[in-house]
Amino acid sequence: MMINLKGTKKIALFTHIRPDGDALGSMNGLALALRKKGIEVDCYCDSEIPSLLSFLPNAGSIQNGALNNYYDMMISVDCADEFRLGKYKDIYLKHANTVNIDHHMTNTSYAKHNIIKNLSSSCELVFEVIKSLNIKMDDEIALNLYVGTVTDTGHFTQANTTSGAHLAAAELIKYNIDIEDLSQKLFKEISKEKLMLIKDCITYMRFFSLDRISFIGINQDMLQKYNLDINETEGIINYAINIQGVMIGICLTESAKNTYKVSLRSKKGVNIADIAAMFGGGGHLQAAGFMINGCYEDVVERIIKECEKALELV
Ligand SMILES: [Mn+2]
């Protein structure tokens, strides 16, 4: 048993700000499972739920207001550090009974009980937790966990696509999951507005270090031009890293004046997790991110400089 639920009646679940498929899949899957144990579960996330993922069972019940109950236990999922809890950080850290379930090896072990495992996704880990609690799986839990498993492995294409990821998916797919419909929603369809934004991103893409670093910058004007939200820039970084010969791809998005969300991707052998950590962020060896403040060109220069250092180490 990975979590001791003895005497636990009410649990608050949290996941990271700007949640992705793994964040929401693992939180929803765990919430639905714990309720089958007769536990009252409320889910909180300090961000809007991306409309693309609102179809996930339980997504509609995720709250982003003040906590509305007393809880015996607080569990965070897919949340590598306490700051990623957003406004729930302090209330979480103050609680006497916190559990941190995560697959990021950069996790800061900020809870009383930390379940950190180097698995493909938090959903794969939550699947293990659910099994250890002897909770019977169902279609809704399976769909949530499956979505995290496929999205966090980039549709089973990234380095974290382990046999464990496939085994979890193989078990989950036995439940009622419409793979064709899901793939259409998650990986194929794109809005016209996002496609037009990508067109602009490619037009203004910059290259550094003899084309080994590619850089995409997205400012508020570009988002407003197509009436898009910062959450809808997900995946655009792939246009940078997928170029032949490029070793590091960067996508810098202006979230507010002089504030930027930076995503980094690298090809095998180039560690960008350390760069993200240096700027106060985190992630994996080949996919990481952080927030940074400053004037645009200064920020770009600082990031490029660190990326160039990382390339020298290769
Ligand atoms: Mn994840």
Side-chain angles (χ1 to χ4, degrees), residues 7-51:
T8 306
K9 291 189 179 67
K10 290 177 185 174
I11 296 179
L13 290 189
F14 301 89
T15 194
H16 61 77
I17 50 173
R18 295 185 299 276
D20 55 13
D22 191 33
L24 295 171
S26 52
M27 181 161 73
N28 290 327
L30 187 58
L32 293 165
L34 290 170
R35 284 187 197 128
K36 291 182 119 179
K37 280 257 176 200
I39 296 168
E40 216 177 290
V41 183
D42 291 328
C43 294
Y44 297 93
C45 178
D46 185 13
S47 287
E48 291 289 312
I49 305 309
S51 53

Side-chain angles (χ1 to χ4, degrees), residues 20 22 78 103-104 121-122 152:
D20 55 13
D22 191 33
D78 200 45
H103 71 125
H104 297 94
S121 61
S122 289
D152 248 32

